[in-house]
Amino acid sequence: MDTEKTSLRALKKRQTREKISHEATRLFLERGFDKVTIAEVAEAAQVAKMTVTNYFPRKEDLVFDLSEEFVQSLARTVRDRAPGDSALAALRRAYLAAVAEHDPVIGFSGPAFARMIAGSPALTARLREFHDEREKALADALAAETGAGPGDILPRAAAAQLGGVHRLLFDETLRRAIAGQDDAEIETALTGYIDAAFGLLEPSLGGYAVRPAA
């Protein structure tokens, strides 16, 4: 019975969070991020203002509802890589799959959403923070996977390069969405860019953080 109550409580929390996020996104797209208040989001979602801030401590987090997935995605890919895979190979394969799926985590969010981000200094600044957090999470994962010591700069250097490629491709996705390209057109362009962008890292990182065979 306690397990059932816990499950129902978790479901209700998830539904409340999703409703708040949905209503916030709708208002932001209709009127612009900077012109909508937290109180208006709370009213649209039919919850208290404090409920909104409990789920989303910062207004910008209402837009980036997938921020946790975004921040942890590269580190998780490295931790889950197959035997024989380098970090670079695993991340490249994962990115190709995400492009084919038009994954919103890598920027496939539509032109209206892309314009909203580009048009708000607060949102672009928050996005930069998420990129930085993702790079740090990746560096931590690389350090753990390679047994690097605290003073070893290599995991951070590798994360900077790998994170930089992902940041570049994310920005390119938004740029093309704002220009009016549909997801299929963006997919075609990115698929071509992946070889060039990840290929540049092959000489330095192709043999780095290779998971030993089982």
Side-chain angles (χ1 to χ4, degrees):
M1 188 67 172
D2 288 342
T3 301
E4 183 178 345
K5 286 182 178 178
T6 300
S7 298
L8 289 173
R9 192 178 301 114
L11 175 62
K12 181 174 175 55
K13 286 184 177 181
R14 185 169 68 250
Q15 290 173 335
T16 299
R17 190 180 195 281
E18 289 174 353
K19 184 176 182 181
I20 293 170
S21 176
H22 173 77
E23 292 299 334
T25 300
R26 179 182 63 80
L27 290 173
F28 293 153
L29 291 177
E30 287 176 358
R31 295 164 47 194
F33 174 78
D34 297 318
K35 295 181 180 179
V36 177
T37 66
I38 294 294
E40 289 170 326
V41 171
E43 182 179 0
Q46 298 180 318
V47 298
K49 181 179 177 181
M50 184 175 293
T51 301
V52 176
T53 55
N54 283 341
Y55 283 98
F56 302 94
R58 294 172 59 170
K59 183 183 172 185
E60 294 86 352
D61 296 340
L62 285 160
V63 174
F64 300 113
D65 191 33
L66 299 174
S67 60
E68 183 64 21
E69 170 66 20
F70 181 89
V71 168
Q72 295 299 324
S73 58
L74 306 188
R76 185 175 57 253
T77 296
V78 167
R79 287 193 296 266
D80 294 345
R81 71 197 185 285
D85 264 358
S86 66
L88 174 62
L91 288 168
R92 182 175 187 163
R93 187 180 302 112
Y95 194 85
L96 273 168
V99 169
E101 295 168 3
H102 300 168
D103 191 342
V105 174
I106 65 167
F108 283 87
S109 51
F113 196 88
R115 291 189 190 103
M116 177 177 66
I117 294 174
S120 169
L123 290 178
T124 55
R126 186 61 172 143
L127 180 58
R128 283 194 297 271
E129 291 177 358
F130 286 134
H131 278 297
D132 292 343
E133 290 172 21
R134 182 172 66 171
E135 184 179 306
K136 183 181 184 306
L138 176 58
D140 290 343
L142 289 171
E145 291 293 311
T146 60
D152 192 340
I153 198 173
L154 188 54
R156 285 179 289 155
Q161 294 178 64
L162 293 164
V165 163
H166 283 81
R167 190 183 301 225
L168 169 68
L169 294 174
F170 187 95
D171 290 346
E172 182 65 15
T173 302
L174 291 190
R175 185 187 72 78
R176 288 178 175 274
I178 291 171
Q181 293 187 13
D182 62 26
D183 285 351
E185 291 175 304
I186 297 172
E187 176 187 351
T188 298
L190 289 180
T191 301
Y193 288 155
I194 286 169
D195 284 341
F198 284 88
L200 281 175
L201 303 183
E202 188 65 37
S204 57
L205 296 178
Y208 176 69
V210 176
R211 168 154 288 175

